[in-house]
């Protein structure tokens, strides 16, 4: 079965620390990859996406992610986090063909301390 | 541009009662999705519509759940009767045909007592 693993369930960082959240997917075919963010009390918002081309993609608010096909990974990074980055982060993938529904990971709760 | 609208935002009911959720997608988006998000988990698809046709309802528990999108615009998801295990956030999302990007609504948080 296709799935997404997010290895860090809860991450606590101080402001200005660097962030890397792990994401691995299990599917052998072509995929589109996404990171969504959910700020407290708000709805899911797209942070960044990878469809094809340059495996290093940049999103909003200084986030970036790198697709490494050989590792089935799509890790999220930010060089310096801010208190306002406190949120829950979800990695998801969409199969290139067939079923057109996102498969989500279980999420990583990021808490940034001032 | 208005986003995906859902109502109600919160609903508390007793088990065995019926409940319904409503979603209005972004104007022009012909694909509509209902997801369920259990506590501590990511969203999971319940049903996907292309216009008024349900093209993927394999994960919808059909004994108690039903959905409709009669005119290919807004949609209603119903549970009858509700069980304790149905407590979750029900999310609606929409996308333009052919696009891989889905836009999510704020969700309806259901609590079944």
């Amino acid at each position: 079965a296709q799935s997404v693993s997010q290895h860090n369930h809860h991450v606590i960082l101080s402001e200005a620390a660097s962030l890397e959240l792990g994401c691995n997917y299990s599917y052998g075919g072509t995929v589109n990859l996404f990171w969504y963010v959910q700020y407290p009390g708000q709805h899911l918002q797209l942070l960044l996406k990878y469809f094809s081309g340059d495996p290093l993609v940049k999103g909003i608010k200084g986030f970036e992610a790198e697709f490494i096909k050989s590792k089935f990974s799509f890790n999220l990074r930010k060089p310096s986090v801010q208190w306002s980055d406190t949120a829950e982060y979800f990695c998801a993938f969409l199969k290139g063909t067939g079923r057109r529904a996102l498969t989500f990971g279980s999420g990583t709760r990021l808490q940034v301390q001032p | 541009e208005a986003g995906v609208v859902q109502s109600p935002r919160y609903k508390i009911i007793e088990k065995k009662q019926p409940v319904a959720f409503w979603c209005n997608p972004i104007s022009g988006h012909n694909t509509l999705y209902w997801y369920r998000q259990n506590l501590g988990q990511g969203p999971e698809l319940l049903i996907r519509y292309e216009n008024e046709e349900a093209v993927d309802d394999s994960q919808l528990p059909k004994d108690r759940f039903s959905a409709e999108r009669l005119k290919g615009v807004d949609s209603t998801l119903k549970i009858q009767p509700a069980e304790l295990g149905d407590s979750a956030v029900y999310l609606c999302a929409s996308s333009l045909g052919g696009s891989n990007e889905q836009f999510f609504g704020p969700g309806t948080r259901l609590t079944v007592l």
Side-chain angles (χ1 to χ4, degrees), chain A residues 14-82:
Chain A
S14 298
E15 277 193 313
S18 64
L19 169 72
E20 181 160 4
L21 301 182
C23 171
N24 288 90
Y25 66 94
S26 62
Y27 179 67
T30 302
V31 293
N32 302 140
L33 294 157
F34 305 82
W35 276 97
Y36 280 85
V37 60
Q38 189 168 27
Y39 298 103
Q42 297 189 26
H43 60 279
L44 277 167
Q45 303 171 40
L46 183 66
L47 200 54
L48 49 78
K49 59 190 177 186
Y50 171 80
F51 290 168
S52 63
D54 188 345
L56 183 63
V57 293
K58 296 188 183 301
I60 60 172
K61 302 185 181 185
F63 286 90
E64 65 178 30
E66 184 175 13
F67 171 51
I68 303 179
K69 189 175 182 179
S70 61
K71 295 184 177 181
F72 297 89
S73 70
F74 190 55
N75 292 354
L76 181 71
R77 299 194 292 252
K78 186 172 184 179
S80 176
V81 295
Q82 300 173 320

Side-chain angles (χ1 to χ4, degrees), chain A residues 32 34 36 38 41-46 49 51 88 90 94 98-107, chain B residues 9 33 35 37 40-45 48 56 58-59 91 98-107:
Chain A
N32 302 140
F34 305 82
Y36 280 85
Q38 189 168 27
Q42 297 189 26
H43 60 279
L44 277 167
Q45 303 171 40
L46 183 66
K49 59 190 177 186
F51 290 168
E88 187 142 20
F90 293 92
L94 193 66
R99 192 165 189 255
R100 304 299 290 167
L102 288 165
T103 298
F104 282 88
S106 57
Chain B
R9 292 293 309 276
Y33 311 78
Y35 289 85
Q37 186 176 15
Q41 300 294 319
E44 295 179 327
L45 181 76
R48 175 171 68 95
D56 185 352
S58 58
Q59 301 303 308
L91 296 167
S99 169
N100 292 332
E101 187 169 342
Q102 297 178 25
F103 296 83
F104 284 82

Side-chain angles (χ1 to χ4, degrees), chain A residues 81-97:
Chain A
V81 295
Q82 300 173 320
W83 177 79
S84 58
D85 294 325
T86 294
E88 187 142 20
Y89 293 81
F90 293 92
C91 181
F93 82 89
L94 193 66
K95 289 165 57 176
T97 57

Side-chain angles (χ1 to χ4, degrees), chain B:
Chain B
E1 179 183 276
V4 177
V5 178
Q6 291 188 248
S7 67
R9 292 293 309 276
Y10 304 91
K11 189 73 176 179
I12 301 174
I13 62 172
E14 294 188 345
K15 62 182 181 182
K16 300 185 182 179
Q17 294 300 304
V19 64
F21 316 123
W22 177 79
C23 171
N24 193 34
I26 293 173
S27 178
H29 283 196
N30 60 319
T31 305
L32 184 146
Y33 311 78
W34 283 102
Y35 289 85
R36 177 169 60 186
Q37 186 176 15
N38 293 314
L39 189 64
Q41 300 294 319
E44 295 179 327
L45 181 76
L46 290 173
I47 189 168
R48 175 171 68 95
Y49 282 93
E50 296 286 348
N51 301 303
E52 64 275 9
E53 182 182 0
V55 296
D56 185 352
D57 63 356
S58 58
Q59 301 303 308
L60 189 73
K62 297 181 183 63
D63 57 335
R64 298 183 298 108
F65 286 66
S66 64
E68 60 183 17
R69 193 185 184 201
L70 294 175
K71 296 183 178 179
V73 181
D74 57 346
S75 175
T76 302
L77 177 69
K78 298 178 181 177
I79 309 174
Q80 183 170 11
E83 297 179 352
L84 294 177
D86 295 331
S87 294
V89 176
Y90 291 82
L91 296 167
C92 181
S94 70
S95 66
L96 273 172
S99 169
N100 292 332
E101 187 169 342
Q102 297 178 25
F103 296 83
F104 284 82
T108 296
R109 182 177 296 276
L110 173 67
T111 302
V112 182
L113 302 176

